[in-house]
Amino acid sequence: MSRTARPAALRRRRQSCAAAVAIAIAAFAPLCLAAGANEHGLDFAGTDPSVAPGDDFFRHANGRWLASTEIPPDRSYWGVSGEMAELTLQRTVELIRAADASAAAGTEARKIGDYYASYMDDKRIEQLGLKPLAPLLKDIDAIGDRAALARALGATLRADVDVLNNTELHTENLFGLWVAQDLSDPKRYSPFLLQGGLGMPDRDYYLNPSQKMADIRSRYQAHIAAVLALAHITGAEEKAARIFELERRIAEVHTSRAESEEVLKGNNHWSATEFPQRAPGLDWPAFFGAAGLGKQPEFVVWQPGAVSAISALTASVPLETWKDYLRFHLIESESGYLPKAFIAEHFAFHQRVISGTPQQQPRWKRAVAETNAALGEAVGKLYVARYFPPEEKARAEEMVRNLVAAFAVRIDRLDWMAPATRAKAKEKLATLKVGVGYPDHWRDYSGLEVVRGDAFGNGRRAELFEYHRNLEKLGQPVDRGEWVMNPQLVNAVNLPAMNALNFPAAILQPPNFDPKRDPVMDYGAIGSVIGHEISHSFDDQGALFDASGRLQNWWTKEDFAHFEAAGKRLIEQFNAYHPFPDISVNGRQTLSENIADVAGLAVSLDAWRLTLHGGPVPSAGGFSGEQLFFLSFAQSWREKFREPELRRRVVVDGHAPAEFRADTVRNLDAWYDAFKVLPGQRLYLAPPDRVQVW
Ligand SMILES: [Zn+2]
């Protein structure tokens, strides 16, 4: 159910390694595109005609680009999304600096400027040293019993996870909260409680027996000790061993990523009074009270087994170990706002070891990421005013309309689908709310206090501001116009319960979406992304939510069986991809995304054909219109990964690696015709093995 079309950046609280890259698009040619891209259109020089399309379409479309491209040193991967993210970052920082120079007191621009400038003021941060942490560490020292422990754990709860929309299932806090439309009663919001507590990305990092993962574990334990030592906490080695062991035990009881994605297993409503019986151990009233949820009558417990077992650990593991655990995670989560030594240690483990990134991003890039996290829509307002003209919004909206129309035709043509299901699908398509560029209503930041010179305090206040904004939604009517992504983010998302889509302005730009080239290339690139997102409303997860967002399967049994059979073939197709000898792509974990890729590609091809109205088919560079469409698709997936980052993604991501997503083309008959693909070639699938869902 990972909804995003693009690989989601690992969003660690505070010290973000969000999409941000080393070099500007204007400057990338010498380093990254030795082969030389066309300024508008496709990068023909980056293809590799020596690789047959039917053997390896990804390398046919991108081979010389892959051979000549180096990943910038402060990035764990590089490609089209990186190029667009870098350009957006450059533009954003200019807007922020301009805001800082001219802003009047009390305005959003002033808050943006103050937030950024405070983060950039590393001299002051060095001077303050550990001082900002002191009162928080003192609170942990004072924990004297299990009730106080529960209060301390409750005070760490943040709105930092998201099951269906942004699909962020990881938090290093013991639990994470997601406030969203209730899945049984879509007219109201509910608080969803998720498992958490791990410093590494997934339980697999703690439990996988491979030597590679064992090495990462010993590096992590050394990292814990280094962080404690930096904060002058004595006995760092022994404490690190105990903290690691506690996390290992939490990992043992964690629900797997794949299982956490099963919506029907997650929709468990517990009343607040049931927690002490169903999940004994933690002093739940104390926990919820400290989290500002003392009056909340009901929760959705997404992983009941894990929540219960973690709760039991809070009673059985010694109090002192928990206090060390809290100290470590406090420092760890705040490290972006602490002196350089902490930042360097955080980078050394979380980016270098986990993702393989050799060099840290410059401070200004991290400052932009943090400012985006704190004041995202205020920054986004400036971004779209400058970089997303009304003509481009109109052009994107027209494309969305064409995609929706093509999807409706496909639904009408499905001979296997029962008329009742088909009618419901059409109803759902008609009520789909598509947001293009930016939200209709902007968030109000007037309640957020930003103090120039107090980077640490600003970070804490911004995080709590966001948490309270989410708590305030409880009891309010559901707002289908709310966005979950900033306009200045290169990504797109389907909000399945809301039956809504967000296409941020930053993904609607060249080379994905370019007014200066033939539209066939836009349909191959961004059109497929739009089709991908639309189809999520109708895939194995989308089938679970009706037009109102209620968790209610609207398919007949026979229809669902047909769909599952198609899914099964796609699972097998992706299980057969082996990016590493010890890890293969998980066809089950990536199923929804792979179905969406197949559907998005097919529907975008239809939509493009419909725009021709029987007129002439374009060609360029010796390629036919359909060849351009597929090449544009495969080039939109050009990504190059560092080995540890690719490994991390294969383990935790709901998406398959970009290379295999590009090979989605092998499921479309039109691709075989366009490139004369024949039996015996590596990507060749016999017609019955080609998966066509819609
Ligand atoms: Zn998706």
Side-chain angles (χ1 to χ4, degrees):
M1 110 204 55
S2 257
R3 296 283 148 182
T4 51
R6 296 280 149 182
L10 173 65
R11 167 93 180 98
R12 292 187 59 78
R13 198 165 70 105
R14 297 302 170 75
Q15 205 156 340
S16 170
C17 30
V21 278
I23 39 180
I25 199 161
F28 79 6
L31 178 63
C32 291
L33 276 185
N38 289 3
E39 206 177 320
H40 300 283
L42 297 183
D43 174 18
F44 295 117
T47 65
D48 185 352
S50 75
V51 178
D55 281 333
D56 186 339
F57 194 60
F58 179 70
R59 279 174 188 75
H60 174 77
N62 299 303
R64 284 185 296 202
W65 178 86
L66 286 165
S68 61
T69 297
E70 278 181 48
I71 302 171
D74 68 346
R75 297 278 299 185
S76 58
Y77 68 100
W78 182 249
V80 167
S81 64
E83 289 164 13
M84 292 196 295
E86 175 63 19
L87 175 64
T88 305
L89 194 58
Q90 295 279 356
R91 289 169 165 177
T92 306
V93 77
E94 280 163 26
L95 292 167
I96 291 174
R97 285 176 185 151
D100 191 38
S102 62
T107 59
E108 275 183 359
R110 177 65 169 267
K111 286 181 186 182
I112 292 168
D114 284 346
Y115 200 96
Y116 177 82
S118 305
Y119 192 93
M120 288 302 289
D121 191 355
D122 49 346
K123 265 204 199 101
R124 176 161 174 80
I125 291 170
E126 292 299 321
Q127 274 166 8
L128 288 170
L130 289 168
K131 228 182 264 171
L133 276 178
L136 299 165
L137 287 170
K138 234 172 121 184
D139 289 346
I140 297 174
D141 295 343
I143 296 172
D145 57 27
R146 302 276 167 180
L149 172 65
R151 281 194 295 276
L153 290 166
T156 67
L157 195 65
R158 296 289 182 272
D160 56 359
V161 288
D162 175 335
V163 178
L164 291 170
N165 301 332
N166 272 329
T167 51
E168 175 55 87
L169 295 173
H170 177 266
T171 173
E172 70 179 294
N173 298 327
L174 196 62
F175 298 113
L177 192 76
W178 181 50
V179 177
Q181 196 173 7
D182 188 84
L183 304 182
S184 304
D185 178 7
K187 287 203 162 45
R188 65 180 170 97
Y189 286 107
S190 271
F192 292 68
L193 194 69
L194 268 72
Q195 67 184 14
L198 304 181
M200 291 198 284
D202 186 85
R203 74 193 294 269
D204 205 46
Y205 280 78
Y206 295 83
L207 307 174
N208 186 311
S210 78
Q211 187 56 45
K212 190 95 195 169
M213 288 301 208
D215 291 344
I216 293 175
R217 284 194 278 280
S218 52
R219 302 282 291 272
Y220 181 51
Q221 191 170 320
H223 165 67
I224 300 172
V227 169
L228 296 177
L230 278 175
H232 310 308
I233 292 170
T234 56
E237 300 283 340
E238 301 76 53
K239 286 175 179 165
R242 287 196 289 271
I243 292 166
F244 178 83
E245 174 58 15
L246 172 53
E247 288 194 23
R248 196 194 58 76
R249 293 182 66 186
I250 295 173
E252 262 176 355
V253 302
H254 256 218
T255 302
S256 73
R257 165 92 201 193
E259 198 181 326
S260 297
E261 293 195 350
E262 290 182 42
V263 176
L264 294 175
K265 290 189 179 168
N267 189 33
N268 310 293
H269 290 73
W270 289 14
S271 73
T273 52
E274 281 178 284
F275 277 76
Q277 287 80 46
R278 300 185 79 156
L282 187 64
D283 184 337
W284 288 102
F287 177 88
F288 285 131
L293 286 160
K295 295 205 172 92
Q296 177 62 30
E298 192 183 79
F299 295 82
V300 179
V301 180
W302 200 255
Q303 299 114 332
V307 168
S308 302
I310 292 170
S311 171
L313 287 172
T314 67
S316 64
V317 170
L319 198 59
E320 282 309 314
T321 303
W322 278 110
K323 289 167 72 173
D324 288 332
Y325 170 92
L326 280 169
R327 288 182 187 104
F328 165 66
H329 282 287
L330 169 68
I331 304 163
E332 179 88 330
S333 64
E334 303 298 345
S335 58
Y337 289 76
L338 290 172
K340 287 196 180 85
F342 289 89
I343 294 176
E345 177 55 38
H346 190 277
F347 172 79
F349 181 73
H350 289 285
Q351 270 105 76
R352 197 175 290 144
V353 174
I354 295 283
S355 294
T357 312
Q359 190 179 306
Q360 190 166 37
Q361 290 179 346
R363 192 166 189 98
W364 72 264
K365 290 189 183 180
R366 288 178 275 133
V368 172
E370 297 301 329
T371 310
N372 276 337
L375 287 145
E377 290 197 3
V379 176
K381 210 188 285 182
L382 301 177
Y383 180 85
V384 300
R386 176 78 180 76
Y387 292 109
F388 194 60
E391 310 86 77
E392 281 298 90
K393 182 167 161 72
R395 203 165 72 87
E397 282 170 343
E398 189 196 342
M399 196 175 202
V400 169
R401 276 195 299 276
N402 292 341
L403 264 296
V404 169
F407 207 91
V409 173
R410 281 200 165 249
I411 291 173
D412 281 335
R413 269 202 230 128
L414 289 178
D415 48 9
W416 54 266
M417 191 177 252
T421 315
R422 211 179 304 181
K424 290 229 169 79
K426 294 288 283 288
E427 184 195 337
K428 201 170 172 185
L429 195 61
T431 53
L432 188 68
K433 184 171 170 60
V434 183
V436 171
Y438 49 91
D440 297 341
H441 307 287
W442 296 102
R443 266 179 215 173
D444 175 8
Y445 291 98
S446 55
L448 174 60
E449 191 194 0
V450 179
V451 179
R452 202 168 180 108
D454 183 16
F456 188 95
N458 290 341
R460 299 280 294 182
R461 280 187 291 273
E463 209 174 76
L464 284 168
F465 177 76
E466 174 62 9
Y467 181 63
H468 290 130
R469 186 184 72 81
N470 276 281
L471 293 193
E472 279 159 21
K473 287 197 272 186
L474 295 168
Q476 301 291 320
V478 170
D479 173 15
R480 283 181 73 213
E482 185 191 355
W483 274 46
V484 303
M485 284 180 171
N486 291 328
Q488 66 278 28
L489 184 75
V490 179
N491 212 328
V493 68
N494 179 306
L495 320 178
M498 303 264 214
N499 194 23
L501 312 180
N502 298 167
F503 294 102
I507 200 173
L508 299 167
Q509 62 168 318
N512 257 351
F513 186 64
D514 186 348
K516 295 192 176 126
R517 65 178 184 178
D518 191 282
V520 67
M521 302 176 211
D522 281 359
Y523 276 91
I526 193 72
S528 302
V529 174
I530 295 170
H532 170 114
E533 298 302 344
I534 293 172
S535 84
H536 270 317
S537 293
F538 306 90
D539 64 15
D540 57 330
Q541 306 287 352
L544 302 173
F545 298 94
D546 67 14
S548 75
R550 193 184 305 275
L551 187 57
Q552 182 175 54
N553 200 320
W554 46 276
W555 293 41
T556 65
K557 240 170 134 183
E558 295 72 31
D559 290 337
F560 207 68
H562 178 98
F563 193 83
E564 292 224 293
K568 222 172 145 215
R569 280 181 285 136
L570 209 54
I571 290 173
E572 286 158 16
Q573 198 179 107
F574 278 79
N575 278 343
Y577 293 132
H578 287 271
F580 303 104
D582 61 329
I583 304 179
S584 73
V585 174
N586 184 334
R588 163 65 58 189
Q589 180 174 308
T590 57
L591 177 61
S592 293
E593 294 306 321
N594 299 331
I595 290 175
D597 281 347
V598 175
L601 188 65
V603 76
S604 192
L605 182 62
D606 286 0
W608 166 66
R609 283 172 173 160
L610 288 171
T611 64
L612 297 176
H613 301 293
V617 179
S619 63
F623 294 95
S624 71
E626 307 224 327
Q627 286 175 330
L628 292 172
F629 174 85
F630 287 114
L631 280 173
S632 182
F633 174 74
Q635 290 201 342
S636 78
W637 284 115
R638 58 166 50 161
E639 302 280 1
K640 207 170 161 169
F641 291 90
R642 297 190 191 279
E643 190 264 343
E645 172 66 6
L646 188 57
R647 179 174 285 272
R648 181 188 73 78
R649 289 194 185 211
V650 172
V651 172
V652 306
D653 202 338
H655 305 81
E659 151 173 16
F660 308 118
R661 299 185 72 176
D663 290 342
T664 297
V665 293
R666 66 200 292 215
N667 293 294
L668 269 70
D669 297 342
W671 175 73
Y672 290 79
D673 299 338
F675 290 95
K676 312 268 175 289
V677 177
L678 299 170
Q681 294 193 291
R682 229 171 44 87
L683 292 178
Y684 179 86
L685 292 170
D689 295 329
R690 296 173 198 166
V691 177
Q692 192 201 322
V693 181
W694 293 102

